[in-house]
Amino acid sequence: QINLKESGPTLVKPTQTLTLTCTFSGFSFTTSGVTVAWVRQPPGKALEWLALLYWDDDRHYNPSLEARLTITKDTAKRQVVLTMTNMDPVDTARYFCAYRPPGGGNAFHVWGQGTVVTVSS
Amino acid sequence: SYVLTQSPSVSVAPGQTATITCGGNNIGGKAVHWYQQKSGQAPVLVILYDNERPSGIPDRFSGSNSGNTATLTITRVEVGDEADYYCQVWDGRGNHPVFGGGTPLTVL
């Protein structure tokens, strides 16, 4: 069974850097075709894709946020980490990590429960 | 960047059929996936590849995709189907997912 769980601070101050961790189980990042994404959802708003990390370490970022984002993985710890710099109140959102399996099309089959981040001084 | 436009809101009575649309330029040429997101929860994949149901999704959920519109249909709607529904495709040019703006389904 595949599971993902996000963790990180619930409150950050403007201009600070946010670091979120997605801890997963049930799959290996060494398997060809595995992809993990970070997606966020501001209160009352739609889902917004942030970053993708592929099994081969290829990375893609939302162009509108690319300068602020970094996605990495620690295969041994079974974690995917997202950092976002220069946080602003508009970045207040629930942040999800999601799993796209090999051969599963370009759909995210399993999502974490999400973690709520509030940006406020 | 590719844009998906969803119907703003849908309301149906229990037992009726709900239809949620997702518009995009020649979306019929893309694979469309649908997610259900209940209040305060994570999205759940309910349809992939236009009309395939993942394991555990009831056959009341179905999809279609042609031309510029993809459609999610929920028959025999239940109170428990009340949620926001999102369509998603893959932008091949930018190599990233694109989500629609979401459609709230209200079960009266």
Side-chain angles (χ1 to χ4, degrees):
Chain A
Q1 184 179 2
I2 292 171
N3 283 292
L4 305 98
K5 186 173 184 179
E6 305 86 349
S7 58
T10 58
L11 178 65
V12 298
K13 290 179 167 48
T15 75
Q16 287 187 334
T17 294
L18 171 70
T19 299
L20 296 174
T21 300
C22 173
T23 303
F24 60 86
S25 62
F27 67 91
S28 171
F29 232 123
T30 60
T31 302
S32 177
V34 165
T35 309
V36 170
W38 281 96
V39 177
R40 71 178 179 181
Q41 185 174 39
K45 295 190 177 181
L47 302 168
E48 177 184 29
W49 161 74
L50 298 177
L52 288 166
L53 182 58
Y54 292 82
W55 81 100
D56 60 358
D57 227 23
D58 191 18
R59 298 168 173 84
H60 290 263
Y61 298 102
N62 186 320
S64 66
L65 296 164
E66 183 167 7
R68 301 172 52 204
L69 295 173
T70 303
I71 188 170
T72 58
K73 60 176 166 64
D74 186 323
T75 303
K77 290 184 177 178
R78 305 180 82 85
Q79 292 178 337
V80 176
V81 177
L82 180 76
T83 61
M84 180 180 290
T85 61
N86 194 25
M87 293 293 286
D88 183 272
V90 299
D91 297 313
T92 294
R94 181 180 290 266
Y95 288 75
F96 298 96
C97 58
Y99 167 74
R100 188 184 80 166
N106 289 320
F108 298 101
H109 291 233
V110 184
W111 295 64
Q113 64 191 17
T115 187
V116 175
V117 177
T118 301
V119 184
S120 174
S121 55
Chain B
S1 185
Y2 195 78
V3 175
L4 295 173
T5 302
Q6 293 190 230
S7 33
S9 65
V10 172
S11 298
V12 296
Q16 291 192 332
T17 297
T19 301
I20 297 171
T21 61
C22 175
N25 185 34
N26 194 28
I27 195 174
K30 296 181 178 294
V32 178
H33 317 296
W34 291 92
Y35 302 88
Q36 175 193 68
Q37 186 182 31
K38 296 183 179 180
S39 180
Q41 298 184 21
V44 173
L45 181 65
V46 294
I47 291 288
L48 69 157
Y49 285 123
D50 298 341
N51 58 10
E52 293 184 15
R53 284 177 289 105
S55 174
I57 301 301
D59 60 6
R60 300 184 298 103
F61 289 81
S62 64
S64 63
N65 184 18
S66 178
N68 293 319
T69 304
T71 302
L72 173 69
T73 301
I74 310 170
T75 59
R76 304 184 304 280
V77 167
E78 302 175 356
V79 172
D81 297 331
E82 188 162 282
D84 294 330
Y85 290 85
Y86 292 90
C87 57
Q88 179 242 312
V89 300
W90 200 263
D91 184 323
R93 193 179 300 182
N95 198 15
H96 62 79
V98 177
F99 293 96
T103 297
L105 171 65
T106 301
V107 182
L108 303 169

